[in-house]
Amino acid sequence: MLRLFVGIELPEAVRQALAEVREAHPAARWHEPEHLHLTLSFIGQVEQEAARNIAQVLADVPGPSFELAVQGVGYFGSPERPRIFWAGVTESPPLNRLQQRVEARLLPLGLRLDDRPYTPHITLARVRQGLPLQALLQRHARLSLPTFTVDHICLFLSGGAEQGVRYEVLERFQLV
């Protein structure tokens, strides 16, 4: 079984700028810069044949390239029990349309996709109890990075490792 998701690779300069947000703290498991990405659709566990079908439908996802910028930070969970510390992106109708097109292509394959509203974010750290979240949020509240061009999407393989979660690009699909 393969654990897959569709996402956007971040340029090296963006990943390195986001790496500077990292702080040493035992309650945070920071993602390595090379694994930072923006998820469009989490697919989950599928067989190899389903992965091939997914790649086929993603090959012709229509839509133009567009500009996107990282801005602000936030978290999922409650203030007392945050689970994920993330960087946000600027409001982007092209991103929202792309995410909807990706899911529209995946649904006919019988996949069980996330039914929560799409909240674009870049997971920076997984959080255990005890992270001084308010101070971290305040220190990085004005995070704002230059825009970058989104000209392709990726089918990612997600796997665990002793050093933390690992992501591997299986295929890239150009936006036209």
Side-chain angles (χ1 to χ4, degrees):
M1 296 286 276
L2 303 171
R3 189 169 190 257
L4 303 178
F5 66 93
V6 180
I8 295 171
E9 282 183 294
L10 301 176
E12 179 66 20
V14 172
R15 291 194 315 261
Q16 290 309 313
L18 289 172
E20 293 179 18
V21 172
R22 296 166 59 125
E23 299 178 10
H25 195 284
R29 283 190 354 241
W30 294 94
H31 284 215
E32 294 299 322
E34 63 269 19
H35 296 298
L36 297 177
H37 64 275
L38 189 143
T39 299
L40 293 169
S41 183
F42 179 75
I43 297 169
Q45 300 275 357
V46 299
E47 297 286 344
Q48 187 72 40
E49 180 64 27
R52 282 191 286 276
N53 292 338
I54 291 165
Q56 286 177 341
V57 301
L58 292 176
D60 64 344
V61 170
S65 60
F66 58 94
E67 298 295 309
L68 192 62
V70 174
Q71 185 172 10
V73 294
Y75 65 94
F76 293 128
S78 67
E80 301 79 31
R81 297 188 70 117
R83 295 176 294 116
I84 303 288
F85 176 64
W86 50 260
V89 296
T90 55
E91 180 65 30
S92 174
L95 173 65
N96 293 332
R97 286 191 296 273
L98 175 62
Q99 190 272 339
Q100 291 167 358
R101 283 192 305 273
V102 166
E103 292 213 336
R105 297 289 177 137
L106 295 175
L107 280 172
L109 298 178
L111 301 170
R112 294 180 48 112
L113 303 176
D114 196 345
D115 57 0
R116 294 175 290 186
Y118 180 59
T119 305
H121 66 281
I122 300 160
T123 299
L124 300 176
R126 303 217 180 267
V127 180
R128 295 185 296 276
Q129 240 177 330
L131 182 69
L133 188 63
Q134 292 308 317
L136 192 61
L137 290 169
Q138 287 175 353
R139 276 193 296 281
H140 301 290
R142 295 184 184 192
L143 176 69
S144 182
L145 302 180
T147 61
F148 62 94
T149 301
V150 176
D151 61 4
H152 68 281
I153 62 173
C154 299
L155 180 60
F156 285 91
L157 175 65
S158 172
E162 288 181 19
Q163 299 82 17
V165 176
R166 312 295 261 170
Y167 304 112
E168 175 186 340
V169 174
L170 295 179
E171 287 195 54
R172 289 177 179 86
F173 307 95
Q174 291 298 312
L175 298 176
V176 292

PDB file of all heavy atoms in Angstrom, residues 10 18 29-33 35-39 74 76 83-88 119-127 165 167:
ATOM      1  N   LEU A  10       7.486  23.610  -2.802  1.00  0.00           N
ATOM      2  CA  LEU A  10       7.879  24.990  -2.534  1.00  0.00           C
ATOM      3  C   LEU A  10       9.277  25.232  -3.079  1.00  0.00           C
ATOM      4  O   LEU A  10      10.143  24.359  -2.983  1.00  0.00           O
ATOM      5  CB  LEU A  10       7.865  25.260  -1.035  1.00  0.00           C
ATOM      6  CG  LEU A  10       6.530  25.039  -0.326  1.00  0.00           C
ATOM      7  CD1 LEU A  10       6.688  25.239   1.169  1.00  0.00           C
ATOM      8  CD2 LEU A  10       5.469  25.961  -0.885  1.00  0.00           C
ATOM      9  N   LEU A  18      11.314  29.521   5.557  1.00  0.00           N
ATOM     10  CA  LEU A  18      10.443  28.897   6.565  1.00  0.00           C
ATOM     11  C   LEU A  18      11.250  28.130   7.602  1.00  0.00           C
ATOM     12  O   LEU A  18      10.835  28.023   8.759  1.00  0.00           O
ATOM     13  CB  LEU A  18       9.418  27.989   5.888  1.00  0.00           C
ATOM     14  CG  LEU A  18       8.341  28.715   5.102  1.00  0.00           C
ATOM     15  CD1 LEU A  18       7.488  27.724   4.311  1.00  0.00           C
ATOM     16  CD2 LEU A  18       7.478  29.576   6.012  1.00  0.00           C
ATOM     17  N   ARG A  29       7.997  18.883  16.883  1.00  0.00           N
ATOM     18  CA  ARG A  29       8.716  18.056  15.918  1.00  0.00           C
ATOM     19  C   ARG A  29       8.654  18.800  14.596  1.00  0.00           C
ATOM     20  O   ARG A  29       7.644  18.742  13.891  1.00  0.00           O
ATOM     21  CB  ARG A  29       8.064  16.677  15.784  1.00  0.00           C
ATOM     22  CG  ARG A  29       8.383  15.745  16.923  1.00  0.00           C
ATOM     23  CD  ARG A  29       7.951  14.301  16.676  1.00  0.00           C
ATOM     24  NE  ARG A  29       7.205  14.054  15.473  1.00  0.00           N
ATOM     25  CZ  ARG A  29       5.959  13.579  15.446  1.00  0.00           C
ATOM     26  NH1 ARG A  29       5.315  13.299  16.539  1.00  0.00           N
ATOM     27  NH2 ARG A  29       5.358  13.361  14.285  1.00  0.00           N
ATOM     28  N   TRP A  30       9.710  19.531  14.287  1.00  0.00           N
ATOM     29  CA  TRP A  30       9.753  20.383  13.102  1.00  0.00           C
ATOM     30  C   TRP A  30       9.963  19.548  11.846  1.00  0.00           C
ATOM     31  O   TRP A  30      10.770  18.611  11.852  1.00  0.00           O
ATOM     32  CB  TRP A  30      10.872  21.412  13.232  1.00  0.00           C
ATOM     33  CG  TRP A  30      10.614  22.374  14.340  1.00  0.00           C
ATOM     34  CD1 TRP A  30      11.056  22.275  15.630  1.00  0.00           C
ATOM     35  CD2 TRP A  30       9.832  23.561  14.289  1.00  0.00           C
ATOM     36  NE1 TRP A  30      10.594  23.334  16.371  1.00  0.00           N
ATOM     37  CE2 TRP A  30       9.835  24.144  15.571  1.00  0.00           C
ATOM     38  CE3 TRP A  30       9.121  24.193  13.269  1.00  0.00           C
ATOM     39  CZ2 TRP A  30       9.165  25.321  15.863  1.00  0.00           C
ATOM     40  CZ3 TRP A  30       8.457  25.367  13.557  1.00  0.00           C
ATOM     41  CH2 TRP A  30       8.484  25.923  14.846  1.00  0.00           C
ATOM     42  N   HIS A  31       9.269  19.903  10.793  1.00  0.00           N
ATOM     43  CA  HIS A  31       9.500  19.259   9.501  1.00  0.00           C
ATOM     44  C   HIS A  31      10.800  19.799   8.926  1.00  0.00           C
ATOM     45  O   HIS A  31      11.093  20.990   9.042  1.00  0.00           O
ATOM     46  CB  HIS A  31       8.359  19.562   8.533  1.00  0.00           C
ATOM     47  CG  HIS A  31       7.122  18.783   8.828  1.00  0.00           C
ATOM     48  ND1 HIS A  31       6.290  18.321   7.847  1.00  0.00           N
ATOM     49  CD2 HIS A  31       6.566  18.382   9.984  1.00  0.00           C
ATOM     50  CE1 HIS A  31       5.290  17.668   8.379  1.00  0.00           C
ATOM     51  NE2 HIS A  31       5.426  17.700   9.682  1.00  0.00           N
ATOM     52  N   GLU A  32      11.557  18.934   8.306  1.00  0.00           N
ATOM     53  CA  GLU A  32      12.791  19.349   7.664  1.00  0.00           C
ATOM     54  C   GLU A  32      12.447  20.233   6.468  1.00  0.00           C
ATOM     55  O   GLU A  32      11.431  20.002   5.799  1.00  0.00           O
ATOM     56  CB  GLU A  32      13.600  18.139   7.211  1.00  0.00           C
ATOM     57  CG  GLU A  32      14.114  17.292   8.361  1.00  0.00           C
ATOM     58  CD  GLU A  32      15.037  18.065   9.286  1.00  0.00           C
ATOM     59  OE1 GLU A  32      15.838  18.901   8.795  1.00  0.00           O
ATOM     60  OE2 GLU A  32      14.960  17.847  10.509  1.00  0.00           O
ATOM     61  N   PRO A  33      13.272  21.234   6.178  1.00  0.00           N
ATOM     62  CA  PRO A  33      12.953  22.152   5.071  1.00  0.00           C
ATOM     63  C   PRO A  33      12.669  21.448   3.742  1.00  0.00           C
ATOM     64  O   PRO A  33      11.776  21.849   3.005  1.00  0.00           O
ATOM     65  CB  PRO A  33      14.196  23.032   4.962  1.00  0.00           C
ATOM     66  CG  PRO A  33      14.819  22.980   6.317  1.00  0.00           C
ATOM     67  CD  PRO A  33      14.500  21.615   6.868  1.00  0.00           C
ATOM     68  N   HIS A  35      11.137  18.872   3.194  1.00  0.00           N
ATOM     69  CA  HIS A  35       9.830  18.207   3.181  1.00  0.00           C
ATOM     70  C   HIS A  35       8.662  19.179   3.275  1.00  0.00           C
ATOM     71  O   HIS A  35       7.511  18.752   3.322  1.00  0.00           O
ATOM     72  CB  HIS A  35       9.755  17.183   4.311  1.00  0.00           C
ATOM     73  CG  HIS A  35      10.741  16.077   4.149  1.00  0.00           C
ATOM     74  ND1 HIS A  35      10.721  15.212   3.084  1.00  0.00           N
ATOM     75  CD2 HIS A  35      11.808  15.716   4.892  1.00  0.00           C
ATOM     76  CE1 HIS A  35      11.721  14.368   3.189  1.00  0.00           C
ATOM     77  NE2 HIS A  35      12.403  14.659   4.263  1.00  0.00           N
ATOM     78  N   LEU A  36       8.931  20.468   3.302  1.00  0.00           N
ATOM     79  CA  LEU A  36       7.851  21.449   3.376  1.00  0.00           C
ATOM     80  C   LEU A  36       7.130  21.525   2.034  1.00  0.00           C
ATOM     81  O   LEU A  36       7.765  21.541   0.978  1.00  0.00           O
ATOM     82  CB  LEU A  36       8.393  22.819   3.773  1.00  0.00           C
ATOM     83  CG  LEU A  36       9.029  22.902   5.166  1.00  0.00           C
ATOM     84  CD1 LEU A  36       9.601  24.295   5.403  1.00  0.00           C
ATOM     85  CD2 LEU A  36       8.043  22.523   6.251  1.00  0.00           C
ATOM     86  N   HIS A  37       5.818  21.571   2.074  1.00  0.00           N
ATOM     87  CA  HIS A  37       4.982  21.577   0.877  1.00  0.00           C
ATOM     88  C   HIS A  37       3.608  22.132   1.247  1.00  0.00           C
ATOM     89  O   HIS A  37       3.310  22.312   2.432  1.00  0.00           O
ATOM     90  CB  HIS A  37       4.828  20.149   0.335  1.00  0.00           C
ATOM     91  CG  HIS A  37       4.107  19.272   1.312  1.00  0.00           C
ATOM     92  ND1 HIS A  37       4.766  18.630   2.343  1.00  0.00           N
ATOM     93  CD2 HIS A  37       2.794  18.990   1.469  1.00  0.00           C
ATOM     94  CE1 HIS A  37       3.874  17.975   3.071  1.00  0.00           C
ATOM     95  NE2 HIS A  37       2.667  18.172   2.570  1.00  0.00           N
ATOM     96  N   LEU A  38       2.778  22.345   0.262  1.00  0.00           N
ATOM     97  CA  LEU A  38       1.396  22.757   0.475  1.00  0.00           C
ATOM     98  C   LEU A  38       0.507  21.656  -0.087  1.00  0.00           C
ATOM     99  O   LEU A  38       0.568  21.362  -1.288  1.00  0.00           O
ATOM    100  CB  LEU A  38       1.128  24.091  -0.222  1.00  0.00           C
ATOM    101  CG  LEU A  38      -0.207  24.739   0.108  1.00  0.00           C
ATOM    102  CD1 LEU A  38      -0.055  26.248   0.180  1.00  0.00           C
ATOM    103  CD2 LEU A  38      -1.248  24.367  -0.908  1.00  0.00           C
ATOM    104  N   THR A  39      -0.280  21.037   0.758  1.00  0.00           N
ATOM    105  CA  THR A  39      -1.145  19.934   0.329  1.00  0.00           C
ATOM    106  C   THR A  39      -2.380  20.479  -0.375  1.00  0.00           C
ATOM    107  O   THR A  39      -3.010  21.422   0.091  1.00  0.00           O
ATOM    108  CB  THR A  39      -1.572  19.074   1.538  1.00  0.00           C
ATOM    109  OG1 THR A  39      -0.399  18.526   2.154  1.00  0.00           O
ATOM    110  CG2 THR A  39      -2.500  17.943   1.122  1.00  0.00           C
ATOM    111  N   GLY A  74      -0.234  30.027  12.040  1.00  0.00           N
ATOM    112  CA  GLY A  74      -1.402  29.630  12.811  1.00  0.00           C
ATOM    113  C   GLY A  74      -1.229  28.217  13.321  1.00  0.00           C
ATOM    114  O   GLY A  74      -0.140  27.641  13.252  1.00  0.00           O
ATOM    115  N   PHE A  76      -3.594  24.304  14.244  1.00  0.00           N
ATOM    116  CA  PHE A  76      -4.803  23.499  14.319  1.00  0.00           C
ATOM    117  C   PHE A  76      -4.831  22.890  15.710  1.00  0.00           C
ATOM    118  O   PHE A  76      -3.787  22.513  16.259  1.00  0.00           O
ATOM    119  CB  PHE A  76      -4.816  22.393  13.267  1.00  0.00           C
ATOM    120  CG  PHE A  76      -4.905  22.901  11.855  1.00  0.00           C
ATOM    121  CD1 PHE A  76      -3.992  22.485  10.902  1.00  0.00           C
ATOM    122  CD2 PHE A  76      -5.896  23.790  11.471  1.00  0.00           C
ATOM    123  CE1 PHE A  76      -4.068  22.945   9.590  1.00  0.00           C
ATOM    124  CE2 PHE A  76      -5.986  24.261  10.168  1.00  0.00           C
ATOM    125  CZ  PHE A  76      -5.067  23.832   9.229  1.00  0.00           C
ATOM    126  N   ARG A  83      -2.054  20.989  17.779  1.00  0.00           N
ATOM    127  CA  ARG A  83      -1.536  19.766  17.154  1.00  0.00           C
ATOM    128  C   ARG A  83      -0.556  20.067  16.036  1.00  0.00           C
ATOM    129  O   ARG A  83       0.420  19.356  15.854  1.00  0.00           O
ATOM    130  CB  ARG A  83      -2.685  18.920  16.586  1.00  0.00           C
ATOM    131  CG  ARG A  83      -3.630  18.390  17.644  1.00  0.00           C
ATOM    132  CD  ARG A  83      -4.806  17.642  17.017  1.00  0.00           C
ATOM    133  NE  ARG A  83      -5.655  18.545  16.249  1.00  0.00           N
ATOM    134  CZ  ARG A  83      -5.855  18.477  14.933  1.00  0.00           C
ATOM    135  NH1 ARG A  83      -5.301  17.547  14.219  1.00  0.00           N
ATOM    136  NH2 ARG A  83      -6.628  19.346  14.319  1.00  0.00           N
ATOM    137  N   ILE A  84      -0.860  21.121  15.270  1.00  0.00           N
ATOM    138  CA  ILE A  84      -0.059  21.472  14.098  1.00  0.00           C
ATOM    139  C   ILE A  84       0.229  22.974  14.138  1.00  0.00           C
ATOM    140  O   ILE A  84      -0.681  23.770  14.339  1.00  0.00           O
ATOM    141  CB  ILE A  84      -0.828  21.163  12.788  1.00  0.00           C
ATOM    142  CG1 ILE A  84      -1.243  19.697  12.693  1.00  0.00           C
ATOM    143  CG2 ILE A  84      -0.037  21.608  11.556  1.00  0.00           C
ATOM    144  CD1 ILE A  84      -0.115  18.742  12.435  1.00  0.00           C
ATOM    145  N   PHE A  85       1.490  23.350  13.937  1.00  0.00           N
ATOM    146  CA  PHE A  85       1.875  24.754  13.782  1.00  0.00           C
ATOM    147  C   PHE A  85       2.181  24.934  12.307  1.00  0.00           C
ATOM    148  O   PHE A  85       2.942  24.155  11.737  1.00  0.00           O
ATOM    149  CB  PHE A  85       3.100  25.058  14.653  1.00  0.00           C
ATOM    150  CG  PHE A  85       3.628  26.458  14.486  1.00  0.00           C
ATOM    151  CD1 PHE A  85       2.860  27.554  14.855  1.00  0.00           C
ATOM    152  CD2 PHE A  85       4.887  26.682  13.956  1.00  0.00           C
ATOM    153  CE1 PHE A  85       3.340  28.849  14.698  1.00  0.00           C
ATOM    154  CE2 PHE A  85       5.377  27.971  13.804  1.00  0.00           C
ATOM    155  CZ  PHE A  85       4.590  29.061  14.181  1.00  0.00           C
ATOM    156  N   TRP A  86       1.556  25.939  11.675  1.00  0.00           N
ATOM    157  CA  TRP A  86       1.670  26.075  10.237  1.00  0.00           C
ATOM    158  C   TRP A  86       1.907  27.510   9.785  1.00  0.00           C
ATOM    159  O   TRP A  86       1.650  28.450  10.517  1.00  0.00           O
ATOM    160  CB  TRP A  86       0.445  25.519   9.528  1.00  0.00           C
ATOM    161  CG  TRP A  86      -0.896  25.979  10.022  1.00  0.00           C
ATOM    162  CD1 TRP A  86      -1.732  25.281  10.849  1.00  0.00           C
ATOM    163  CD2 TRP A  86      -1.588  27.203   9.726  1.00  0.00           C
ATOM    164  NE1 TRP A  86      -2.883  26.003  11.073  1.00  0.00           N
ATOM    165  CE2 TRP A  86      -2.826  27.188  10.397  1.00  0.00           C
ATOM    166  CE3 TRP A  86      -1.274  28.312   8.949  1.00  0.00           C
ATOM    167  CZ2 TRP A  86      -3.744  28.226  10.317  1.00  0.00           C
ATOM    168  CZ3 TRP A  86      -2.185  29.363   8.867  1.00  0.00           C
ATOM    169  CH2 TRP A  86      -3.410  29.301   9.546  1.00  0.00           C
ATOM    170  N   ALA A  87       2.379  27.625   8.546  1.00  0.00           N
ATOM    171  CA  ALA A  87       2.467  28.913   7.844  1.00  0.00           C
ATOM    172  C   ALA A  87       1.314  28.945   6.861  1.00  0.00           C
ATOM    173  O   ALA A  87       0.982  27.931   6.234  1.00  0.00           O
ATOM    174  CB  ALA A  87       3.796  29.040   7.107  1.00  0.00           C
ATOM    175  N   GLY A  88       0.717  30.117   6.722  1.00  0.00           N
ATOM    176  CA  GLY A  88      -0.403  30.269   5.802  1.00  0.00           C
ATOM    177  C   GLY A  88       0.043  30.802   4.459  1.00  0.00           C
ATOM    178  O   GLY A  88       1.228  31.056   4.226  1.00  0.00           O
ATOM    179  N   THR A 119      -8.257  24.290   3.894  1.00  0.00           N
ATOM    180  CA  THR A 119      -7.525  25.358   4.579  1.00  0.00           C
ATOM    181  C   THR A 119      -6.069  25.266   4.129  1.00  0.00           C
ATOM    182  O   THR A 119      -5.297  24.474   4.677  1.00  0.00           O
ATOM    183  CB  THR A 119      -7.612  25.191   6.113  1.00  0.00           C
ATOM    184  OG1 THR A 119      -8.982  25.135   6.492  1.00  0.00           O
ATOM    185  CG2 THR A 119      -6.920  26.341   6.830  1.00  0.00           C
ATOM    186  N   PRO A 120      -5.689  26.048   3.113  1.00  0.00           N
ATOM    187  CA  PRO A 120      -4.314  25.930   2.625  1.00  0.00           C
ATOM    188  C   PRO A 120      -3.309  26.351   3.692  1.00  0.00           C
ATOM    189  O   PRO A 120      -3.466  27.405   4.326  1.00  0.00           O
ATOM    190  CB  PRO A 120      -4.273  26.872   1.423  1.00  0.00           C
ATOM    191  CG  PRO A 120      -5.496  27.703   1.484  1.00  0.00           C
ATOM    192  CD  PRO A 120      -6.460  27.057   2.412  1.00  0.00           C
ATOM    193  N   HIS A 121      -2.321  25.503   3.899  1.00  0.00           N
ATOM    194  CA  HIS A 121      -1.293  25.766   4.910  1.00  0.00           C
ATOM    195  C   HIS A 121      -0.068  24.918   4.624  1.00  0.00           C
ATOM    196  O   HIS A 121      -0.141  23.929   3.887  1.00  0.00           O
ATOM    197  CB  HIS A 121      -1.824  25.452   6.316  1.00  0.00           C
ATOM    198  CG  HIS A 121      -2.091  23.995   6.500  1.00  0.00           C
ATOM    199  ND1 HIS A 121      -3.234  23.370   6.012  1.00  0.00           N
ATOM    200  CD2 HIS A 121      -1.344  23.016   7.093  1.00  0.00           C
ATOM    201  CE1 HIS A 121      -3.174  22.078   6.303  1.00  0.00           C
ATOM    202  NE2 HIS A 121      -2.045  21.841   6.954  1.00  0.00           N
ATOM    203  N   ILE A 122       1.032  25.302   5.230  1.00  0.00           N
ATOM    204  CA  ILE A 122       2.283  24.555   5.140  1.00  0.00           C
ATOM    205  C   ILE A 122       2.625  24.117   6.554  1.00  0.00           C
ATOM    206  O   ILE A 122       2.923  24.953   7.416  1.00  0.00           O
ATOM    207  CB  ILE A 122       3.411  25.436   4.559  1.00  0.00           C
ATOM    208  CG1 ILE A 122       3.015  25.924   3.152  1.00  0.00           C
ATOM    209  CG2 ILE A 122       4.737  24.675   4.541  1.00  0.00           C
ATOM    210  CD1 ILE A 122       3.782  27.145   2.695  1.00  0.00           C
ATOM    211  N   THR A 123       2.540  22.832   6.821  1.00  0.00           N
ATOM    212  CA  THR A 123       2.834  22.334   8.161  1.00  0.00           C
ATOM    213  C   THR A 123       4.316  22.532   8.456  1.00  0.00           C
ATOM    214  O   THR A 123       5.173  22.039   7.732  1.00  0.00           O
ATOM    215  CB  THR A 123       2.460  20.843   8.291  1.00  0.00           C
ATOM    216  OG1 THR A 123       1.054  20.710   8.060  1.00  0.00           O
ATOM    217  CG2 THR A 123       2.824  20.305   9.667  1.00  0.00           C
ATOM    218  N   LEU A 124       4.585  23.280   9.522  1.00  0.00           N
ATOM    219  CA  LEU A 124       5.965  23.515   9.943  1.00  0.00           C
ATOM    220  C   LEU A 124       6.379  22.546  11.043  1.00  0.00           C
ATOM    221  O   LEU A 124       7.525  22.114  11.087  1.00  0.00           O
ATOM    222  CB  LEU A 124       6.122  24.959  10.433  1.00  0.00           C
ATOM    223  CG  LEU A 124       5.808  26.046   9.409  1.00  0.00           C
ATOM    224  CD1 LEU A 124       5.920  27.421  10.054  1.00  0.00           C
ATOM    225  CD2 LEU A 124       6.731  25.933   8.209  1.00  0.00           C
ATOM    226  N   ALA A 125       5.439  22.245  11.952  1.00  0.00           N
ATOM    227  CA  ALA A 125       5.774  21.355  13.070  1.00  0.00           C
ATOM    228  C   ALA A 125       4.533  20.637  13.558  1.00  0.00           C
ATOM    229  O   ALA A 125       3.428  21.174  13.521  1.00  0.00           O
ATOM    230  CB  ALA A 125       6.381  22.160  14.219  1.00  0.00           C
ATOM    231  N   ARG A 126       4.748  19.446  14.041  1.00  0.00           N
ATOM    232  CA  ARG A 126       3.732  18.716  14.795  1.00  0.00           C
ATOM    233  C   ARG A 126       4.022  19.049  16.250  1.00  0.00           C
ATOM    234  O   ARG A 126       5.182  19.103  16.663  1.00  0.00           O
ATOM    235  CB  ARG A 126       3.824  17.225  14.538  1.00  0.00           C
ATOM    236  CG  ARG A 126       3.694  16.937  13.044  1.00  0.00           C
ATOM    237  CD  ARG A 126       2.929  15.681  12.753  1.00  0.00           C
ATOM    238  NE  ARG A 126       2.847  15.466  11.328  1.00  0.00           N
ATOM    239  CZ  ARG A 126       1.852  15.874  10.561  1.00  0.00           C
ATOM    240  NH1 ARG A 126       0.849  16.517  11.081  1.00  0.00           N
ATOM    241  NH2 ARG A 126       1.849  15.649   9.267  1.00  0.00           N
ATOM    242  N   VAL A 127       2.967  19.281  16.998  1.00  0.00           N
ATOM    243  CA  VAL A 127       3.125  19.833  18.337  1.00  0.00           C
ATOM    244  C   VAL A 127       2.627  18.861  19.380  1.00  0.00           C
ATOM    245  O   VAL A 127       1.549  18.277  19.243  1.00  0.00           O
ATOM    246  CB  VAL A 127       2.339  21.165  18.447  1.00  0.00           C
ATOM    247  CG1 VAL A 127       2.464  21.769  19.822  1.00  0.00           C
ATOM    248  CG2 VAL A 127       2.810  22.151  17.380  1.00  0.00           C
ATOM    249  N   VAL A 165       8.635  12.189   9.489  1.00  0.00           N
ATOM    250  CA  VAL A 165       7.889  11.936   8.268  1.00  0.00           C
ATOM    251  C   VAL A 165       8.746  12.296   7.059  1.00  0.00           C
ATOM    252  O   VAL A 165       9.470  13.277   7.067  1.00  0.00           O
ATOM    253  CB  VAL A 165       6.577  12.754   8.276  1.00  0.00           C
ATOM    254  CG1 VAL A 165       5.821  12.592   6.973  1.00  0.00           C
ATOM    255  CG2 VAL A 165       5.705  12.339   9.444  1.00  0.00           C
ATOM    256  N   TYR A 167       8.697  12.680   2.703  1.00  0.00           N
ATOM    257  CA  TYR A 167       7.862  12.832   1.522  1.00  0.00           C
ATOM    258  C   TYR A 167       8.734  12.690   0.291  1.00  0.00           C
ATOM    259  O   TYR A 167       9.835  13.216   0.246  1.00  0.00           O
ATOM    260  CB  TYR A 167       7.176  14.205   1.512  1.00  0.00           C
ATOM    261  CG  TYR A 167       6.372  14.472   2.756  1.00  0.00           C
ATOM    262  CD1 TYR A 167       6.766  15.449   3.655  1.00  0.00           C
ATOM    263  CD2 TYR A 167       5.235  13.730   3.046  1.00  0.00           C
ATOM    264  CE1 TYR A 167       6.039  15.697   4.810  1.00  0.00           C
ATOM    265  CE2 TYR A 167       4.498  13.967   4.202  1.00  0.00           C
ATOM    266  CZ  TYR A 167       4.908  14.949   5.067  1.00  0.00           C
ATOM    267  OH  TYR A 167       4.189  15.182   6.206  1.00  0.00           O
TER     268      TYR A 167
END
